[in-house]
Amino acid sequence: MRITVRVAAVQAEPSWLRLSDGVEQVVELIETAATRGARLIAFPEAFLPGYPWWRWIDTNQWNVEYSTRCRENSMTRDGAEMRAITETAAAHGIHVVLGFGERQDRRIYLSQAVIDDSGELLSVRRKAGLNSVERKIFASGTPNLPAVHHTPIGKYGALSGQENQRPLLTRALRADEEQIHVAAWPASPEGDVPGPDSSATVCRMYALEVGAYVLAPTAVVGEAAWGGMPRPRTTGPTGRARIYGADGSEVVTSLDEGAQGILYADLDIGAATADPPCESPRATRKDRTPATARRNARRAATGWQSGPDRWALPMTIRAYPGGTAAC
């Protein structure tokens, strides 16, 4: 069955290291998107309290101070700040994917929360694969496979940053026939970019590999991100959210780079459910069963776990015959 779903990808500057202001900003953005008819809104990685770009500045005393502020302004998954966000989602009937710094005791995790339109916190996933700078601030999460959430607006999942180019994670989402994918990015100051427009390249490849729409929210990094210290390199405006179709093309014109706002698109979900364009070279004759049988087998194997961390797939997916990172 084909359905049309309006989605929203945030392109905005966070309220750097000010948690209460950041929660108000998130609530306002959710309300704005819902008013425009969006059923799903996606936020950048670590939007609360802002991705720690200041860690690229090699000033130890200053980094200690801001690391402390980062911990103090991160939120818990069950605190008043998260309740305010889930209540807003419920009040406006909108799904929310939010990147945030999650505080637990003295540790901080790079986490991603998925909230449904009734305000239920479906999952909180802690990023496990951290880069060298992230490891100086954040603790590594458990390397579980990500979830695909089966909802009335379609089957959607989410990953953060460089996770979007890890075959083990992307294959897990493809195995459960993901239709909408949130690839959350923290923006791309020159100090962290592995190549020109690398996040856009990753998103296009993801769309082609998985055959899903891709929402790529990103933060805008202004002077406030550096806390008054000089940037490590001279850069122009940063942050450009995009929304891609399953063929890797942009389905809507993006906002100007560095502008703040919300990018909207109406997605034809039925158009993103085609079988993958090619089979894995590892597939055997025994594996080449009808698509319906494969889908039923995968659904039967889906194992939801109870508790605050829920995953839609068991840890082993070797019975799935479809797709590799490059077809």
Side-chain angles (χ1 to χ4, degrees):
M1 180 180 71
R2 290 176 179 268
I3 58 172
T4 300
V5 176
R6 177 163 293 182
V7 297
V10 170
Q11 177 176 308
E13 183 160 13
S15 299
W16 304 102
L17 301 178
R18 303 192 309 276
L19 180 57
S20 59
D21 292 346
V23 172
E24 291 179 7
Q25 182 184 14
V26 167
V27 167
E28 182 178 343
L29 288 167
I30 292 172
E31 292 173 345
T32 299
T35 301
R36 295 286 301 273
R39 300 290 308 280
L40 168 66
I41 181 171
F43 287 86
E45 182 178 13
F47 194 71
L48 294 175
Y51 191 83
W53 294 114
W54 38 265
R55 198 62 185 84
W56 267 256
I57 300 175
D58 191 18
T59 305
N60 289 334
Q61 182 177 356
W62 193 75
N63 275 321
V64 169
E65 174 191 345
Y66 274 72
S67 293
T68 301
R69 287 181 57 186
C70 184
R71 182 172 60 252
E72 292 172 348
N73 285 275
S74 294
M75 67 180 188
T76 60
R77 66 176 63 186
D78 56 359
E81 296 85 4
M82 182 64 81
R83 286 197 297 273
I85 295 168
T86 57
E87 288 170 3
T88 303
H92 294 276
I94 185 171
H95 297 253
V96 178
V97 178
L98 174 67
F100 70 104
E102 181 189 356
R103 186 181 73 253
Q104 185 179 47
D105 300 324
R106 293 191 59 81
R107 293 183 176 182
I108 321 172
Y109 297 90
L110 272 175
S111 295
Q112 201 171 31
V114 177
I115 304 164
D116 73 6
D117 56 358
S118 68
E120 181 182 355
L121 189 61
L122 296 180
S123 67
V124 176
R125 184 170 182 273
R126 294 171 172 173
K127 187 176 179 180
L130 307 179
N131 63 38
S132 59
V133 174
E134 291 170 349
R135 285 195 294 269
K136 296 176 182 178
I137 303 165
F138 300 101
S140 180
T142 304
N144 293 60
L145 295 180
V148 172
H149 301 281
H150 295 233
T151 73
I153 66 169
K155 294 176 280 189
Y156 68 87
L159 294 171
S160 292
Q162 67 268 29
E163 289 186 322
N164 291 284
Q165 57 194 96
R166 294 187 174 166
L168 176 63
L169 303 181
T170 60
R171 288 185 66 192
L173 295 173
R174 181 177 179 173
D176 205 20
E177 298 179 323
E178 185 185 37
Q179 295 169 311
I180 305 173
H181 177 70
V182 175
W185 301 94
S188 304
E190 186 179 338
D192 188 48
V193 172
D197 216 12
S198 58
S199 61
T201 301
V202 170
C203 289
R204 288 192 180 97
M205 290 301 298
Y206 189 99
L208 289 167
E209 177 194 346
V210 179
Y213 292 107
V214 176
L215 279 63
T218 183
V220 173
V221 182
E223 294 298 330
W226 310 101
M229 297 291 286
R231 291 171 179 252
R233 292 189 176 99
T234 301
T235 60
T238 57
R240 175 172 284 176
R242 294 179 173 92
I243 300 176
Y244 298 94
D247 61 354
S249 64
E250 294 187 44
V251 298
V252 63
T253 302
S254 59
L255 302 172
D256 291 338
E257 186 176 5
Q260 297 195 60
I262 303 175
L263 191 63
Y264 299 91
D266 293 321
L267 308 184
D268 183 359
I269 299 304
T273 58
D275 285 338
C278 59
E279 281 191 331
S280 165
R282 297 182 181 180
T284 63
R285 282 184 179 274
K286 195 175 293 185
D287 290 328
R288 297 189 182 113
T289 54
T292 301
R294 293 201 305 270
R295 284 196 290 269
N296 291 339
R298 289 199 293 273
R299 287 167 183 158
T302 297
W304 290 90
Q305 297 181 8
S306 60
D309 292 299
R310 303 184 180 96
W311 315 105
L313 290 169
M315 283 300 295
T316 176
I317 58 171
R318 61 178 177 270
Y320 172 62
T324 56
C327 294

